[in-house]
C-alpha cells in the first residue's frame, strides 16, 4: 500500500557519473545514468512533490572533519598523476585494483560525499523530511583510507551532518550485501549513532567483518548491530532476518532520523556476491524503512544507494522504486518498464532490458514472531545477533 505523497529532495545531476573507474570496473557509472533516465521515464523527476537539486562542489572543511588530511591530500595527488606509487596504494588504498586512480578522483568523490551531506542538511534544516541520494552509499571508505570502490564516506558525512545539527540519536541501516564497515568505524564509540548492517557473512565476502559479536566500542556498547547472513540467502530468509532485528532495535533506540543505505548487490544476478535477493524483497525493505520513519522520526529519512553491479537488470529498478517509495508514489511491481527506457538500453548496450519492475517474487516470509527454529542456519545467525544486542535495549532475544 502506498503511503501519502510527501515532498522529497533527490540529489542528482550528470556530474555524478564522473565517478568512473573505467569500463572494466564493476562500479560503472552507467548504473546511475540508467537509474536517472528510468526515474524520468516513470515521471518521477517531473512529479510535483519531487525536487531535483544539482550537486555542489565538495566543502573541503566538511570533508576534513571526517577524513584525515594526509588521506585527502593523497587522493588529490592521485588525480594529478598518471601512476600511483606503492606507498599510496598501501597506505591510502588509492590506485589499487579496487579503487583505481582517475583524473579528478578527488572532485568526483567529493561531489558524491557532498550530495549526501546536502541532503542531510536539507532535512536537518526543515526544508524536507525525506531525501534520496542514490549515487551515494560509499560505506567502505575509512577515515584515512579508500576501500571497496569507495573513496569518501558520504554515509558518515550525512550522519555527521545530523549530529552537527544537534540530533542526539541517529540510526543508520545498511542493506548492502557487503558489511558497512567504514560507516560503522566512524561511529564505533559514539552512543548517539546506531549502525545496523544486514550483509553476507564476512567469511565468504569482502570486507570480512561484521559478525554478531561486533557490537560497538567501550563507550557505545550495542551501538553496532550486525546480521551476518549465510551465502545464498533468498527473499524469505533475508526479510525474516531484517524483520527479526531491525524494527525492535530501532524502537528501542528511538531515533530522531534514519539514514538508510540501499546497496542492491544482494540480488541473485549480481556478479560479486552470493545472496539471492529479488528487487521485490528490496522494495519491501524500503517500505519498512519508510514505515519506521513515519512511526519513530516524524518521517525524517535519508536514503542513499550503494553497491549493485547488475547494471541494467537490477540497479535502475531497485533505486527507482526507492525514489518512488520515498515520495509516496509507489510503483506497482507488475508495472511495465517504459518502452523508451528499454529502447535506450538496447541502443546503448545492445542488450535487452527488463520488461517489468518485478522479478516475479511475492517476497513472502515467515515473521520471527512465529517462532525460532534452532535447526535453521538463518535462525541461528539471527539469534546470535539478538542475543548480543537485545539485552542492552531491555528486549528478550527469544520472545520480543
Amino acid at each position: 500500500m502506498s503511503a501519502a505523497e510527501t515532498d522529497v529532495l533527490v540529489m542528482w545531476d550528470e556530474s555524478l557519473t564522473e565517478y568512473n573507474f573505467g569500463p572494466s570496473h564493476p562500479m560503472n557509472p552507467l548504473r546511475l545514468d540508467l537509474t536517472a533516465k528510468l526515474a524520468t521515464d516513470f515521471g518521477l523527476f517531473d512529479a510535483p512533490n519531487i525536487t531535483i537539486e544539482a550537486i555542489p562542489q565538495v566543502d573541503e572543511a566538511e570533508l576534513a572533519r571526517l577524513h584525515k588530511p594526509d588521506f585527502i591530500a593523497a587522493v588529490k595527488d592521485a588525480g594529478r598523476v598518471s601512476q600511483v606509487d606503492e606507498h599510496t596504494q598501501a597506505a591510502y588504498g588509492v590506485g589499487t585494483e579496487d579503487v583505481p586512480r582517475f583524473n579528478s578522483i578527488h572532485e568526483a568523490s567529493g561531489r558524491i560525499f557532498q550530495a549526501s551531506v546536502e541532503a542531510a542538511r536539507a532535512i536537518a534544516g526543515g526544508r524536507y523530511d525525506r531525501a534520496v541520494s542514490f549515487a551515494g552509499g560509499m560505506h567502505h571508505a575509512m577515515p584515512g583510507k579508500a576501500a571497496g570502490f569507495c573513496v569518501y564516506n558520504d554515509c558518515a558525512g550525512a550522519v555527521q551532518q545530523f549530529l552537527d545539527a544537534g540530533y542526539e540519536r541517529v540510526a543508520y541501516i545498511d542493506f548492502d550485501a557487503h558489511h558497512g564497515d567504514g560507516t560503522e568505524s566512524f561511529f564505533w564509540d559514539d552512543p548517539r549513532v546506531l549502525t545496523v548492517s544486514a550483509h553476507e557473512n564476512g567469511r565468504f565476502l569482502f570486507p570480512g567483518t561484521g559478525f554478531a559479536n561486533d557490537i560497538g566500542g567501550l563507550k557505545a556498547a550495542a551501538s553496532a548491530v550486525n546480521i551476518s547472513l549465510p551465502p545464498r540467502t533468498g527473499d524469505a530468509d533475508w526479510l525474516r532476518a531484517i524483520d527479526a532485528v531491525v524494527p525492535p532495535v530501532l524502537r528501542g533506540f528511538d531515533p530522531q532520523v534514519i539514514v538508510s543505505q540501499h546497496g542492491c548487490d544482494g540480488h541473485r544476478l549480481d556478479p560479486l556476491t552470493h545472496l539471492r535477493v529479488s528487487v521485490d524483497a528490496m522494495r519491501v525493505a524500503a517500505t519498512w524503512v519508510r514505515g519506521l520513519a513515519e512511526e519513530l522520526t516524524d518521517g525524517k529519512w535519508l536514503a542513499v544507494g550503494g553497491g549493485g553491479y547488475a547494471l541494467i537488470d537490477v540497479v535502475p529498478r531497485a533505486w527507482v522504486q526507492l525514489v518512488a517509495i520515498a515520495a509516496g508514489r509507489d510503483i506497482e511491481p507488475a508495472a511495465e518498464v517504459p518502452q523508451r527506457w528499454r529502447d535506450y538500453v538496447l541502443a546503448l548496450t545492445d542488450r535487452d532490458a527488463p520488461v517489468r519492475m518485478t522479478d516475479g517474487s511475492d517476497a513472502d516470509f515467515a515473521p520471527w514472531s512465529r517462532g525460532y527454529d534452532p535447526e535453521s542456519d538463518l535462525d541461528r545467525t539471527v539469534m546470535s545477533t539478538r542475543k548480543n544486542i537485545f539485552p542492552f535495549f531491555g528486549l528478550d532475544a527469544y520472545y520480543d
Side-chain angles (χ1 to χ4, degrees), residues 40 50 93 113 130 135 165 172 182 193 199 237 293 302 316 348 367 375 377:
T40 298
I50 296 179
F113 175 89
R130 296 181 190 167
Y172 169 79
V193 181
H199 51 268
D237 281 352
L302 166 58
L348 193 66
E375 300 300 315
D377 286 346

Side-chain angles (χ1 to χ4, degrees), residues 61-396:
E62 287 181 337
L63 185 64
R65 291 203 60 205
L66 274 295
H67 289 285
K68 296 178 180 178
D70 58 334
F71 168 57
I72 297 172
V75 175
K76 289 180 177 179
D77 288 343
R80 303 186 187 112
V81 300
S82 59
Q83 192 170 8
V84 177
D85 62 37
E86 292 182 1
H87 168 74
T88 298
Q89 292 177 18
Y92 301 111
V94 180
T96 63
E97 183 178 358
D98 273 1
V99 187
R101 56 91 40 212
F102 61 90
N103 293 338
S104 302
I105 184 173
H106 167 73
E107 291 78 8
S109 305
R111 278 194 294 272
I112 291 176
F113 175 89
Q114 200 65 39
S116 296
V117 169
E118 293 302 324
R121 196 193 316 276
I123 295 173
R127 289 201 294 133
Y128 294 88
D129 285 338
R130 296 181 190 167
V132 179
S133 180
F134 59 80
M138 303 298 170
H139 63 163
H140 294 308
M142 296 289 182
K145 191 170 186 177
F149 312 163
C150 306
V151 179
Y152 298 138
N153 195 316
D154 64 290
C155 307
V159 170
Q160 187 63 52
Q161 180 63 37
F162 286 119
L163 297 176
D164 291 347
Y167 285 71
E168 297 176 346
R169 296 181 308 281
V170 181
Y172 169 79
I173 309 170
D174 193 316
F175 294 118
D176 199 286
H178 301 84
H179 175 226
D181 58 334
T183 310
E184 181 184 270
S185 73
F186 276 93
F187 305 106
W188 183 253
D189 258 323
D190 193 333
R192 299 173 298 171
V193 181
L194 175 74
T195 64
V196 184
S197 181
H199 51 268
E200 184 177 339
N201 190 304
R203 288 183 296 148
F204 306 98
L205 192 68
F206 176 90
T209 54
F211 297 99
N213 59 352
D214 296 324
I215 65 169
L218 294 176
K219 298 177 183 177
S223 67
V225 180
N226 285 293
I227 311 167
S228 185
L229 299 166
R232 295 180 294 281
T233 293
D235 285 4
D237 281 352
W238 191 72
L239 290 171
R240 177 173 170 82
I242 294 167
D243 171 69
V245 174
V246 177
V249 168
L250 255 68
R251 291 180 182 123
F253 183 68
D254 192 25
Q256 296 163 303
V257 65
I258 295 172
V259 178
S260 57
Q261 197 265 24
H262 295 262
C264 52
D265 49 1
H267 194 275
R268 58 178 178 252
L269 294 180
D270 197 275
L272 300 187
T273 77
H274 313 103
L275 301 183
R276 298 290 184 266
V277 184
S278 71
V279 293
D280 303 284
M282 295 174 188
R283 176 182 52 80
V284 170
T287 62
W288 285 354
V289 177
R290 178 178 66 189
L292 287 167
E294 290 170 347
E295 174 189 346
L296 301 172
T297 69
D298 293 325
K300 293 181 175 58
W301 170 33
L302 166 58
V304 300
Y309 311 103
L311 307 178
I312 296 169
D313 295 306
V314 178
V315 179
R317 291 188 297 157
W319 290 348
V320 167
Q321 283 282 21
L322 179 62
V323 172
I325 289 165
R329 306 180 71 91
D330 301 28
I331 299 170
E332 287 297 321
E336 287 192 11
V337 174
Q339 185 65 49
R340 186 171 77 160
W341 186 80
R342 290 161 56 196
D343 291 342
Y344 177 76
V345 170
L346 183 62
L348 193 66
T349 68
D350 200 30
R351 284 186 50 190
D352 291 329
V355 175
R356 297 192 181 275
M357 291 295 283
T358 181
D359 286 330
S361 169
D362 60 11
D364 193 20
F365 73 102
W368 189 264
S369 58
R370 295 184 187 174
Y372 161 59
D373 178 6
E375 300 300 315
S376 162
D377 286 346
L378 184 281
D379 280 20
R380 289 197 297 272
T381 290
V382 170
M383 181 57 79
S384 183
T385 298
R386 286 167 64 100
K387 284 182 175 179
N388 275 283
I389 293 296
F390 273 32
F392 290 94
F393 293 97
L395 299 170
D396 188 295

